[in-house]
């Protein structure tokens, strides 16, 4: 079977609490925590960006895969915060990993689902026998305008997945994508912060696509929600994925291990892939896992994975997501956060 | 403009590539043309361990222009597990968190940017573990 041979994640150590952001803008933190089910979020260090996050996540994936990086024939980075407008993130990542020069590289952008896009294409190339191994990465240092609701969730982190045919830890049983032109969230060329369509982002965007992809993949695969050990849905806030999962027939217990948004925030392209990585950290052989991403604009990619016995051999070879989420946290106040996120205008 | 030195040093800065003398086994980082141990000119490519410990350190409070937003920050001499000593910034901690002998891990980070429009230069830094 074709599937994941190695996976890894990376989260920055810096955090800001919902209370600190709410205090800055005169908002009631308890209302926001209750409404969005968020407690805190990750913040990239001054020297971190999508490229450095991708490199660290990919190094963890390579540790688990135990393969020669030179055998990776394709490397794709999905993000909506690539550091360059023109110059790929992927070339820097590939150079840092020792994957160059015999490799196909591209950067993807599809709002929050660019990570699963990278995974989907990596999987497809291995399935087509064009490359032996392919890596898909979802990583972001997400933007949210000061004072906007997004500022409570937009965070940083990412995950990397290496696809191959040998020594697989999670077989890909099926994939499905559901896409329409939906203007729910966007950032124009040159604009610093994204804009969103308020309430328009819920039912016509997130729920339509997540439920559309989720229902379709369940129908065509013949699996029922109760057949799955775990399910992960894109996490723009705490509430949306739980609501979508419930509508599809999943329980909170099935979603809990991958529902990392209360402590991580929304890492955009890294969101559902990192929830999936957290789930791989605890999944058992033969477990079925459903992953459904969502990207504004809008679309969802769905995957069904089946765990193999090899997961027990590889999961301890790199740091687990829970450890990254709960250890070595450094809390910033809003002033420090504004500096770290480049929200203060400085002289050159 | 990107400096030729930055491009040339990518294997070391990005992947910690070093040179191991074929004759006496001494590891040079960055790689050298002539071994400082035996004078040999023949090397194998090797990679430094990304784990190490702090040998000594100092704290920068008045920084060069590229680093003023980061003060106070620490620079340490780190001995990696295969014995080589390197000078590197130690990040994601306060200067008072550092101690001689503390274990560190080398990670991939931005070193500096050539202004708002120039290239971004990457390389290794250390974090406490």
């Amino acid at each position: 079977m074709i599937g994941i041979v190695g996976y890894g994640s990376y989260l920055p150590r810096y955090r800001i609490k919902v209370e600190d952001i709410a205090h800055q803008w005169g908002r009631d933190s308890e209302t926001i925590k209750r409404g969005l089910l968020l407690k805190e979020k990750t913040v990239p260090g001054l020297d971190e960006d999508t490229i450095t996050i991708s490199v660290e996540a990919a190094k963890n994936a390579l540790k688990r895969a135990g393969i020669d990086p030179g055998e990776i024939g394709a490397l794709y980075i999905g993000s909506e915060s690539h550091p360059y407008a023109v110059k790929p993130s992927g070339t820097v990542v590939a150079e840092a990993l020792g994957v160059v020069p015999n490799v196909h590289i591209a950067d993807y952008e599809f709002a929050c689902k660019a990570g699963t896009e990278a995974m989907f294409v990596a999987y497809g190339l291995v399935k087509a026998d064009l490359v032996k191994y392919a890596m898909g990465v979802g990583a972001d240092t997400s933007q949210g305008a000061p004072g906007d609701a997004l500022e409570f969730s937009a965070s940083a982190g990412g995950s990397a997945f290496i696809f191959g045919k040998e020594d697989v830890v999670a077989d890909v049983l099926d994939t499905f994508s559901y896409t329409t032109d939906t203007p729910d969230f966007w950032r124009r060329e040159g604009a610093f912060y994204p804009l969103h369509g308020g309430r328009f982002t819920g039912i016509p965007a997130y729920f339509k696509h997540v439920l559309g992809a989720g229902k379709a993949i369940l129908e065509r695969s013949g699996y029922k929600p109760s057949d799955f050990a775990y399910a992960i849905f894109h996490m723009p806030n705490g509430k949306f994925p739980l609501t979508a999962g419930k509508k599809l027939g999943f329980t909170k217990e099935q979603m809990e291990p991958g529902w990392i948004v209360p402590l991580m925030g929304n890492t955009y392209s890294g969101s559902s892939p990192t929830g999936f990585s957290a789930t791989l950290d605890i999944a058992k052989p033969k477990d079925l896992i459903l992953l459904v991403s969502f990207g504004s604009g809008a679309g969802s990619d769905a995957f069904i994975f089946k765990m193999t016995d090899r997961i027990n051999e590889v999961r301890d070879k790199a740091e687990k997501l829970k450890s990254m989420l709960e250890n070595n946290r450094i809390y910033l106040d809003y002033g420090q956060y504004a500096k770290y996120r480049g929200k203060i205008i400085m002289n050159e | 403009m990107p400096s030729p030195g930055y491009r040339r040093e990518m294997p070391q800065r990005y992947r910690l590539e070093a040179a191991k003398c074929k004759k006496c086994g001494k590891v040079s980082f960055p790689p050298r043309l002539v071994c400082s141990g035996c004078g040999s000119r023949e090397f194998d490519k090797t990679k430094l361990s990304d784990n190490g410990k702090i040998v000594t350190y100092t704290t920068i409070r008045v920084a060069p222009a590229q680093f003023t937003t980061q003060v106070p920050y620490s620079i340490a001499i780190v001995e990696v597990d295969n014995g080589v000593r390197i000078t590197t910034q130690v990040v994601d901690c306060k200067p008072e968190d550092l101690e001689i002998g503390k274990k560190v891990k080398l990670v991939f980070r931005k070193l500096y940017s050539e202004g708002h429009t120039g290239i971004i230069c990457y390389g290794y830094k250390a974090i406490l573990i």
Side-chain angles (χ1 to χ4, degrees):
Chain A
M1 288 286 290
I2 299 148
I4 292 166
V5 299
Y7 71 96
S9 297
Y10 176 80
L11 297 181
R13 290 181 169 183
Y14 295 99
R15 302 285 190 278
I16 185 165
K17 288 181 183 289
V18 163
E19 286 87 346
D20 286 310
I21 301 172
H23 176 73
Q24 179 67 26
W25 300 109
R27 307 278 295 275
D28 177 39
S29 62
E30 286 310 310
T31 306
I32 287 157
K33 285 165 85 170
R34 208 168 43 244
L36 300 176
L37 301 180
L38 300 173
K39 293 177 183 167
E40 61 189 46
K41 66 171 191 173
T42 55
V43 180
L46 287 165
D47 54 2
E48 293 184 295
D49 61 19
T50 288
I51 288 174
T52 65
I53 289 168
S54 299
V55 169
E56 291 302 317
K59 285 201 291 196
N60 284 332
L62 282 166
K63 280 182 197 165
R64 287 196 172 105
I67 62 167
D68 172 7
E71 289 191 299
I72 293 174
L75 191 155
Y76 302 118
I77 314 284
S79 180
E80 58 176 274
S81 44
H82 291 291
Y84 290 99
V86 179
K87 187 184 183 308
S89 299
T91 53
V92 185
V93 175
E95 189 82 49
L97 299 175
V99 172
V100 290
N102 303 317
V103 60
H104 184 257
I105 286 175
D107 286 359
Y108 287 113
E109 189 279 319
F110 193 144
C112 295
K113 93 167 181 80
T116 57
E117 238 179 293
M119 292 167 66
F120 178 82
V121 178
Y123 161 69
L125 287 178
V126 174
K127 193 175 181 184
D129 261 333
L130 289 172
V131 296
K132 185 175 182 185
Y133 297 109
M135 184 185 282
V137 183
D140 254 309
T141 54
S142 316
Q143 312 90 1
D148 188 88
L150 281 175
E151 197 179 27
F152 292 100
S153 60
S155 64
S159 295
F161 301 89
I162 303 168
F163 290 84
K165 287 185 173 173
E166 295 163 13
D167 296 329
V168 170
V169 300
D171 290 322
V172 178
L173 300 190
D174 202 2
T175 65
F176 187 80
S177 292
Y178 183 99
T179 313
T180 70
D181 182 11
T182 306
D184 59 316
F185 171 93
W186 62 91
R187 180 163 63 85
R188 292 280 299 271
E189 180 71 37
F192 199 64
Y193 299 116
L195 291 169
H196 54 87
R199 289 179 186 277
F200 191 58
T201 60
I203 292 168
Y206 180 87
F207 290 105
K208 177 180 173 178
H209 296 82
V210 169
L211 299 180
K215 278 178 189 162
I217 201 167
L218 289 174
E219 207 173 289
R220 62 185 248 156
S221 67
Y223 288 115
K224 303 184 296 295
S226 57
D227 294 329
F228 290 85
Y230 304 107
I232 303 98
F233 303 97
H234 172 56
M235 295 166 273
N237 53 54
K239 225 169 197 175
F240 277 23
L242 295 182
T243 307
K246 198 175 165 190
K247 279 180 189 284
L248 285 171
F250 291 91
T251 63
K252 195 174 178 195
E253 288 67 36
Q254 286 170 297
M255 296 184 267
E256 195 101 59
W259 187 66
I260 51 178
V261 61
L263 291 182
M264 182 180 75
N266 176 9
T267 52
Y268 287 16
S269 302
S271 172
S272 56
T274 305
F276 176 50
S277 173
T279 306
L280 292 176
D281 283 344
I282 53 109
K284 298 183 296 300
K286 296 186 178 53
D287 278 350
L288 283 180
I289 301 174
L290 174 69
L291 166 65
V292 185
S293 65
F294 170 73
S296 292
S300 284
D301 296 326
F303 296 76
I304 294 176
F305 296 95
K306 186 173 187 180
M307 303 305 295
T308 73
D309 293 341
R310 191 170 151 74
I311 186 66
N312 291 334
E313 292 170 39
V314 309
R315 81 172 100 228
D316 293 331
K317 289 185 175 174
E319 188 178 1
K320 292 178 188 157
L321 205 277
K322 189 176 164 63
S323 160
M324 293 179 197
L325 210 51
E326 296 178 356
N327 299 330
N328 299 312
R329 287 179 279 192
I330 305 166
Y331 287 96
L332 305 175
D333 59 30
Y334 192 88
Q336 291 169 310
Y337 164 76
K339 175 178 138 181
Y340 274 56
R341 294 303 293 127
K343 296 182 182 200
I344 300 173
I345 297 168
M346 308 277 290
N347 281 331
E348 179 84 24
Chain B
M1 286 291 288
S3 72
Y6 172 68
R7 178 70 185 87
R8 201 166 51 240
E9 290 166 3
M10 276 181 186
Q12 296 102 64
R13 292 196 185 274
Y14 281 24
R15 299 190 294 273
L16 299 169
E17 276 186 16
K20 186 174 182 180
C21 177
K22 282 186 176 178
K23 200 170 163 193
C24 73
K26 185 172 183 180
V27 177
S28 301
F29 184 85
R32 302 168 60 101
L33 290 175
V34 179
C35 176
S36 60
C38 69
S40 168
R41 289 173 178 267
E42 291 187 25
F43 295 90
D44 284 324
K45 200 189 288 179
T46 187
K47 189 179 171 300
L48 296 187
S49 163
D50 53 13
N51 288 303
K53 64 179 180 190
I54 294 173
V55 176
T56 188
Y57 64 93
T58 188
T59 299
I60 309 293
R61 297 179 193 279
V62 181
Q66 289 274 8
F67 302 92
T68 50
T69 58
Q70 298 179 42
V71 293
Y73 62 89
S74 300
I75 300 287
I77 292 176
V78 167
E79 185 173 305
V80 296
D81 287 353
N82 33 7
V84 174
R85 291 183 174 189
I86 60 173
T87 305
T88 179
Q89 195 174 341
V90 187
V91 292
D92 294 356
C93 62
K94 298 186 190 107
E96 55 267 34
D97 296 335
L98 269 65
E99 280 174 30
I100 290 170
K102 268 198 173 176
K103 288 187 175 174
V104 297
K105 181 182 156 195
L106 298 179
V107 292
F108 190 77
R109 294 291 173 96
K110 277 191 285 188
L111 299 181
Y112 57 91
S113 300
E114 295 185 345
H116 290 306
T117 53
I119 66 155
I120 306 164
C121 300
Y122 296 89
Y124 56 83
K125 291 185 182 178
I127 55 169
L128 296 173
I129 53 174

mmCIF file of all heavy atoms in Angstrom, chain A residues 160-183:
data_model
loop_
_atom_site.group_PDB
_atom_site.id
_atom_site.type_symbol
_atom_site.label_atom_id
_atom_site.label_comp_id
_atom_site.label_asym_id
_atom_site.label_seq_id
_atom_site.Cartn_x
_atom_site.Cartn_y
_atom_site.Cartn_z
ATOM 1 N N ALA A 160 4.939 17.738 8.747
ATOM 2 C CA ALA A 160 5.466 17.196 7.493
ATOM 3 C C ALA A 160 5.157 15.709 7.413
ATOM 4 O O ALA A 160 5.197 15.008 8.433
ATOM 5 C CB ALA A 160 6.973 17.427 7.426
ATOM 6 N N PHE A 161 4.861 15.255 6.204
ATOM 7 C CA PHE A 161 4.523 13.846 5.993
ATOM 8 C C PHE A 161 5.281 13.331 4.773
ATOM 9 O O PHE A 161 5.227 13.957 3.712
ATOM 10 C CB PHE A 161 3.016 13.687 5.772
ATOM 11 C CG PHE A 161 2.214 14.199 6.941
ATOM 12 C CD1 PHE A 161 1.829 15.537 6.988
ATOM 13 C CD2 PHE A 161 1.895 13.382 8.007
ATOM 14 C CE1 PHE A 161 1.128 16.038 8.079
ATOM 15 C CE2 PHE A 161 1.194 13.868 9.099
ATOM 16 C CZ PHE A 161 0.810 15.203 9.132
ATOM 17 N N ILE A 162 5.959 12.208 4.958
ATOM 18 C CA ILE A 162 6.679 11.592 3.841
ATOM 19 C C ILE A 162 5.855 10.405 3.362
ATOM 20 O O ILE A 162 5.501 9.523 4.152
ATOM 21 C CB ILE A 162 8.084 11.129 4.269
ATOM 22 C CG1 ILE A 162 8.880 12.305 4.833
ATOM 23 C CG2 ILE A 162 8.831 10.487 3.096
ATOM 24 C CD1 ILE A 162 10.160 11.897 5.549
ATOM 25 N N PHE A 163 5.544 10.406 2.071
ATOM 26 C CA PHE A 163 4.758 9.311 1.487
ATOM 27 C C PHE A 163 5.683 8.351 0.747
ATOM 28 O O PHE A 163 6.668 8.774 0.128
ATOM 29 C CB PHE A 163 3.706 9.867 0.522
ATOM 30 C CG PHE A 163 2.596 10.598 1.228
ATOM 31 C CD1 PHE A 163 2.740 11.936 1.588
ATOM 32 C CD2 PHE A 163 1.423 9.942 1.564
ATOM 33 C CE1 PHE A 163 1.729 12.604 2.256
ATOM 34 C CE2 PHE A 163 0.402 10.599 2.234
ATOM 35 C CZ PHE A 163 0.558 11.939 2.585
ATOM 36 N N GLY A 164 5.368 7.074 0.832
ATOM 37 C CA GLY A 164 6.157 6.057 0.152
ATOM 38 C C GLY A 164 5.377 4.758 0.087
ATOM 39 O O GLY A 164 4.200 4.699 0.483
ATOM 40 N N LYS A 165 6.058 3.720 -0.414
ATOM 41 C CA LYS A 165 5.384 2.425 -0.575
ATOM 42 C C LYS A 165 5.909 1.367 0.385
ATOM 43 O O LYS A 165 5.288 0.317 0.540
ATOM 44 C CB LYS A 165 5.567 1.922 -2.013
ATOM 45 C CG LYS A 165 4.732 2.673 -3.026
ATOM 46 C CD LYS A 165 4.869 2.051 -4.401
ATOM 47 C CE LYS A 165 3.901 2.701 -5.365
ATOM 48 N NZ LYS A 165 4.079 2.263 -6.745
ATOM 49 N N GLU A 166 7.080 1.609 0.966
ATOM 50 C CA GLU A 166 7.665 0.609 1.871
ATOM 51 C C GLU A 166 7.696 1.145 3.292
ATOM 52 O O GLU A 166 7.879 2.336 3.505
ATOM 53 C CB GLU A 166 9.105 0.287 1.434
ATOM 54 C CG GLU A 166 9.176 -0.388 0.081
ATOM 55 C CD GLU A 166 10.581 -0.312 -0.515
ATOM 56 O OE1 GLU A 166 11.536 0.041 0.216
ATOM 57 O OE2 GLU A 166 10.701 -0.582 -1.717
ATOM 58 N N ASP A 167 7.582 0.241 4.250
ATOM 59 C CA ASP A 167 7.631 0.603 5.668
ATOM 60 C C ASP A 167 6.637 1.716 6.009
ATOM 61 O O ASP A 167 6.968 2.711 6.669
ATOM 62 C CB ASP A 167 9.055 1.034 6.059
ATOM 63 C CG ASP A 167 10.037 -0.115 5.926
ATOM 64 O OD1 ASP A 167 9.623 -1.275 6.128
ATOM 65 O OD2 ASP A 167 11.204 0.147 5.609
ATOM 66 N N VAL A 168 5.435 1.523 5.568
ATOM 67 C CA VAL A 168 4.385 2.525 5.768
ATOM 68 C C VAL A 168 3.832 2.435 7.190
ATOM 69 O O VAL A 168 3.659 1.348 7.727
ATOM 70 C CB VAL A 168 3.260 2.293 4.722
ATOM 71 C CG1 VAL A 168 2.037 3.137 5.027
ATOM 72 C CG2 VAL A 168 3.780 2.583 3.322
ATOM 73 N N VAL A 169 3.575 3.589 7.808
ATOM 74 C CA VAL A 169 2.976 3.595 9.159
ATOM 75 C C VAL A 169 1.463 3.845 9.102
ATOM 76 O O VAL A 169 0.744 3.489 10.018
ATOM 77 C CB VAL A 169 3.639 4.627 10.103
ATOM 78 C CG1 VAL A 169 5.108 4.335 10.269
ATOM 79 C CG2 VAL A 169 3.423 6.052 9.631
ATOM 80 N N ALA A 170 1.000 4.496 8.016
ATOM 81 C CA ALA A 170 -0.438 4.744 7.860
ATOM 82 C C ALA A 170 -0.769 4.647 6.368
ATOM 83 O O ALA A 170 -0.327 5.496 5.585
ATOM 84 C CB ALA A 170 -0.818 6.114 8.407
ATOM 85 N N ASP A 171 -1.498 3.603 5.989
ATOM 86 C CA ASP A 171 -1.901 3.436 4.584
ATOM 87 C C ASP A 171 -2.967 4.475 4.233
ATOM 88 O O ASP A 171 -3.855 4.754 5.039
ATOM 89 C CB ASP A 171 -2.524 2.047 4.372
ATOM 90 C CG ASP A 171 -1.500 0.932 4.468
ATOM 91 O OD1 ASP A 171 -0.370 1.133 3.988
ATOM 92 O OD2 ASP A 171 -1.836 -0.130 5.021
ATOM 93 N N VAL A 172 -2.880 4.993 3.005
ATOM 94 C CA VAL A 172 -3.961 5.861 2.518
ATOM 95 C C VAL A 172 -4.991 4.958 1.846
ATOM 96 O O VAL A 172 -4.703 4.315 0.838
ATOM 97 C CB VAL A 172 -3.438 6.902 1.501
ATOM 98 C CG1 VAL A 172 -4.601 7.751 0.977
ATOM 99 C CG2 VAL A 172 -2.385 7.799 2.129
ATOM 100 N N LEU A 173 -6.192 4.891 2.401
ATOM 101 C CA LEU A 173 -7.235 4.042 1.819
ATOM 102 C C LEU A 173 -8.045 4.787 0.768
ATOM 103 O O LEU A 173 -8.522 4.193 -0.190
ATOM 104 C CB LEU A 173 -8.180 3.513 2.910
ATOM 105 C CG LEU A 173 -7.570 2.657 4.017
ATOM 106 C CD1 LEU A 173 -8.675 2.036 4.862
ATOM 107 C CD2 LEU A 173 -6.673 1.562 3.446
ATOM 108 N N ASP A 174 -8.219 6.107 0.981
ATOM 109 C CA ASP A 174 -9.019 6.867 0.013
ATOM 110 C C ASP A 174 -8.762 8.363 0.202
ATOM 111 O O ASP A 174 -8.334 8.806 1.283
ATOM 112 C CB ASP A 174 -10.517 6.580 0.220
ATOM 113 C CG ASP A 174 -11.338 6.876 -1.034
ATOM 114 O OD1 ASP A 174 -10.746 7.265 -2.062
ATOM 115 O OD2 ASP A 174 -12.560 6.722 -0.980
ATOM 116 N N THR A 175 -9.012 9.106 -0.853
ATOM 117 C CA THR A 175 -8.937 10.580 -0.764
ATOM 118 C C THR A 175 -10.111 11.166 -1.538
ATOM 119 O O THR A 175 -10.633 10.533 -2.453
ATOM 120 C CB THR A 175 -7.640 11.157 -1.384
ATOM 121 O OG1 THR A 175 -7.642 10.889 -2.784
ATOM 122 C CG2 THR A 175 -6.412 10.566 -0.758
ATOM 123 N N PHE A 176 -10.501 12.368 -1.163
ATOM 124 C CA PHE A 176 -11.576 13.038 -1.895
ATOM 125 C C PHE A 176 -11.446 14.545 -1.665
ATOM 126 O O PHE A 176 -11.149 14.989 -0.557
ATOM 127 C CB PHE A 176 -12.959 12.569 -1.394
ATOM 128 C CG PHE A 176 -14.081 13.111 -2.217
ATOM 129 C CD1 PHE A 176 -14.413 12.538 -3.436
ATOM 130 C CD2 PHE A 176 -14.805 14.220 -1.790
ATOM 131 C CE1 PHE A 176 -15.446 13.055 -4.209
ATOM 132 C CE2 PHE A 176 -15.843 14.743 -2.566
ATOM 133 C CZ PHE A 176 -16.161 14.158 -3.778
ATOM 134 N N SER A 177 -11.663 15.308 -2.723
ATOM 135 C CA SER A 177 -11.618 16.775 -2.592
ATOM 136 C C SER A 177 -12.933 17.391 -3.039
ATOM 137 O O SER A 177 -13.561 16.918 -3.995
ATOM 138 C CB SER A 177 -10.474 17.356 -3.425
ATOM 139 O OG SER A 177 -9.244 16.969 -2.869
ATOM 140 N N TYR A 178 -13.339 18.445 -2.338
ATOM 141 C CA TYR A 178 -14.614 19.117 -2.588
ATOM 142 C C TYR A 178 -14.316 20.618 -2.650
ATOM 143 O O TYR A 178 -13.827 21.194 -1.679
ATOM 144 C CB TYR A 178 -15.551 18.787 -1.421
ATOM 145 C CG TYR A 178 -16.951 19.332 -1.521
ATOM 146 C CD1 TYR A 178 -18.001 18.526 -1.961
ATOM 147 C CD2 TYR A 178 -17.247 20.633 -1.138
ATOM 148 C CE1 TYR A 178 -19.296 19.011 -2.031
ATOM 149 C CE2 TYR A 178 -18.540 21.121 -1.212
ATOM 150 C CZ TYR A 178 -19.557 20.306 -1.657
ATOM 151 O OH TYR A 178 -20.840 20.789 -1.721
ATOM 152 N N THR A 179 -14.582 21.241 -3.796
ATOM 153 C CA THR A 179 -14.121 22.612 -4.006
ATOM 154 C C THR A 179 -15.153 23.458 -4.760
ATOM 155 O O THR A 179 -15.753 22.974 -5.723
ATOM 156 C CB THR A 179 -12.811 22.610 -4.843
ATOM 157 O OG1 THR A 179 -11.923 21.647 -4.302
ATOM 158 C CG2 THR A 179 -12.139 23.965 -4.833
ATOM 159 N N THR A 180 -15.356 24.690 -4.334
ATOM 160 C CA THR A 180 -16.185 25.653 -5.075
ATOM 161 C C THR A 180 -15.522 27.027 -4.988
ATOM 162 O O THR A 180 -14.599 27.223 -4.180
ATOM 163 C CB THR A 180 -17.603 25.796 -4.470
ATOM 164 O OG1 THR A 180 -17.490 26.468 -3.203
ATOM 165 C CG2 THR A 180 -18.301 24.462 -4.293
ATOM 166 N N ASP A 181 -15.982 27.971 -5.771
ATOM 167 C CA ASP A 181 -15.489 29.351 -5.655
ATOM 168 C C ASP A 181 -16.337 30.067 -4.605
ATOM 169 O O ASP A 181 -17.488 30.400 -4.861
ATOM 170 C CB ASP A 181 -15.582 30.059 -7.003
ATOM 171 C CG ASP A 181 -15.039 31.482 -6.925
ATOM 172 O OD1 ASP A 181 -14.418 31.819 -5.896
ATOM 173 O OD2 ASP A 181 -15.228 32.249 -7.884
ATOM 174 N N THR A 182 -15.771 30.252 -3.427
ATOM 175 C CA THR A 182 -16.513 30.867 -2.315
ATOM 176 C C THR A 182 -15.659 31.984 -1.702
ATOM 177 O O THR A 182 -14.599 31.700 -1.140
ATOM 178 C CB THR A 182 -16.824 29.811 -1.233
ATOM 179 O OG1 THR A 182 -17.490 28.721 -1.855
ATOM 180 C CG2 THR A 182 -17.691 30.383 -0.126
ATOM 181 N N PRO A 183 -16.071 33.228 -1.810
ATOM 182 C CA PRO A 183 -15.236 34.339 -1.296
ATOM 183 C C PRO A 183 -15.454 34.590 0.202
ATOM 184 O O PRO A 183 -15.971 35.616 0.603
ATOM 185 C CB PRO A 183 -15.699 35.527 -2.137
ATOM 186 C CG PRO A 183 -17.125 35.205 -2.476
ATOM 187 C CD PRO A 183 -17.266 33.712 -2.522
#
